[in-house]
Amino acid sequence: MSGLLSEDLLTAIGRVAEPKRELVTRRDIRKYAVATGSQQRKYLDGDVAPPMFHVPLFWDVVELSELTPDGVSIDTLLPIFPLNRAMAGGLDIDYVKPIYPGDWLTATRTLTNIYEKSGRSGPLIFYEVVMDVRNDEGELVIREKTTRILR
Amino acid sequence: MNPAPVVGGVIPTREHSPGTVQLMLYNAVLWNGHRIHFDLPYTTDVEGYPGLVLAGPMLGDWLHQVVDEWLGDAGSITGVSYSNRGATYVGETLLVGGEISAFDAATGELELDVYIKNQAGDVVVPGTISARLTATADS
């Protein structure tokens, strides 16, 4: 560690966002299928949700005054990092159960890790956020881990 | 599902040439107001990109689609891992494909290396997708 990450900043690891409970609708599945260029009738008709439908379902809905001038919503789960230029990120997703119209799903996001590595052009900060999506029976439907890199 | 799963076998590829309308609809569905996806003067003059930037998770979705279309009713996707390596833009034609890297006939579990390439042939989104064939599917 070159010391970019203060003890104070690292205490943010383990922070959990307020869970969000949302209703899956046929209309929202259909819009997502059309927008992604799906060619499959079951998705275009909204009979079942395609993979990654949880991404729009749980994208933060914030008010206009909360958006930055470039139109981005600020993720309040994250601390203020000493580096702020976002580089490529990655996603790891486990699909455990299918999603149908009428399902109520609850997403809980946890900041699970913050660490530093040295890149070719200087230090890099990595952070990981895990989002668990569960149904009203408490069963896991999807687990998604997002990794982002800052330089 | 054609061809049947064999390690080293490639699945049918698919091209995407998304326009401004598709990109706008995708970001509207997300509720994503990031201007680099719809405001061309801002994107080129302020952010310095050559064109409107395609949304990263839309490309992630296409990795799923190419495998899901190949699987059809024979199985379903159980997991994905991918990263967005470089920006892609409206006006580009992107090629999505994959190759089977593991197959267990006993359990029906499959793994594929998947990719999205830009027109220059660079892999802009590498990934892996795992899937499971349904028990009733025959080869």
Side-chain angles (χ1 to χ4, degrees):
Chain A
M1 290 262 165
S2 72
L4 262 184
L5 302 171
S6 68
E7 285 296 320
D8 190 42
L9 193 143
L10 291 172
T11 61
I13 296 172
R15 192 185 281 178
V16 182
E18 189 66 30
K20 286 190 285 188
R21 183 168 176 266
E22 299 287 355
L23 174 63
V24 177
T25 67
R26 183 178 292 272
R27 178 178 168 83
D28 284 346
I29 295 173
R30 295 186 62 211
K31 286 161 74 173
Y32 180 80
V34 169
T36 51
S38 176
Q39 302 182 134
Q40 298 197 63
R41 212 62 252 170
K42 60 187 176 184
Y43 303 139
L44 291 165
D45 289 345
D47 295 336
V48 59
M52 285 190 88
F53 176 75
H54 65 290
V55 174
L57 188 64
F58 292 109
W59 200 275
D60 225 6
V61 175
V62 303
E63 296 179 21
L64 289 174
S65 59
E66 296 173 74
L67 295 173
T68 61
D70 60 346
V72 175
S73 59
I74 293 160
D75 188 349
T76 53
L77 180 63
L78 304 176
I80 307 291
F81 289 109
L83 305 175
N84 54 26
R85 200 168 161 84
M87 286 176 63
L91 273 187
D92 290 86
I93 307 172
D94 294 328
Y95 296 101
V96 184
K97 285 180 166 295
I99 296 173
Y100 298 103
D103 288 352
W104 279 97
L105 299 174
T106 300
T108 306
R109 298 171 67 241
T110 306
L111 178 59
T112 51
N113 206 357
I114 303 172
Y115 55 97
E116 186 180 337
K117 283 185 181 178
S118 49
R120 271 175 303 186
S121 55
L124 302 170
I125 293 173
F126 291 68
Y127 67 86
E128 296 171 359
V129 174
V130 171
M131 180 166 81
D132 277 356
V133 177
R134 293 181 183 274
N135 60 22
D136 275 356
E137 285 67 53
E139 299 164 317
L140 186 68
V141 175
I142 285 177
R143 174 164 290 160
E144 174 200 272
K145 183 177 81 176
T146 303
T147 305
R148 290 211 187 281
I149 309 170
L150 306 171
R151 65 178 164 91
Chain B
M1 187 173 54
N2 186 30
V6 178
V7 172
V10 296
I11 64 173
T13 57
R14 183 170 165 200
E15 280 186 354
H16 291 264
S17 307
T20 309
V21 172
Q22 183 178 359
L23 184 60
M24 189 286 292
L25 288 175
Y26 180 79
N27 285 292
V29 163
L30 285 191
W31 198 249
N32 181 10
H34 198 178
R35 289 169 70 182
I36 62 171
H37 302 307
F38 61 86
D39 184 340
L40 185 59
Y42 172 84
T43 303
T44 54
D45 301 349
V46 179
E47 295 273 352
Y49 290 110
L52 292 175
V53 180
L54 300 181
M58 184 166 72
L59 276 65
D61 187 275
W62 295 343
L63 292 178
H64 292 77
Q65 284 193 46
V66 80
V67 174
D68 208 14
E69 287 174 7
W70 169 69
L71 285 169
D73 295 329
S76 58
I77 292 171
T78 55
V80 68
S81 175
Y82 75 88
S83 56
N84 294 101
R85 274 201 191 153
T88 52
Y89 307 97
V90 165
E92 289 192 271
T93 296
L94 301 167
L95 181 71
V96 192
E99 178 179 327
I100 299 159
S101 56
F103 176 49
D104 183 337
T107 62
E109 286 174 5
L110 279 166
E111 202 158 279
L112 298 98
D113 291 326
V114 289
Y115 63 83
I116 299 181
K117 289 180 182 171
N118 62 17
Q119 270 164 293
D122 304 319
V123 175
V124 286
V125 187
T128 59
I129 284 183
S130 53
R132 193 180 303 116
L133 302 186
T134 49
T136 52
D138 58 9
S139 56

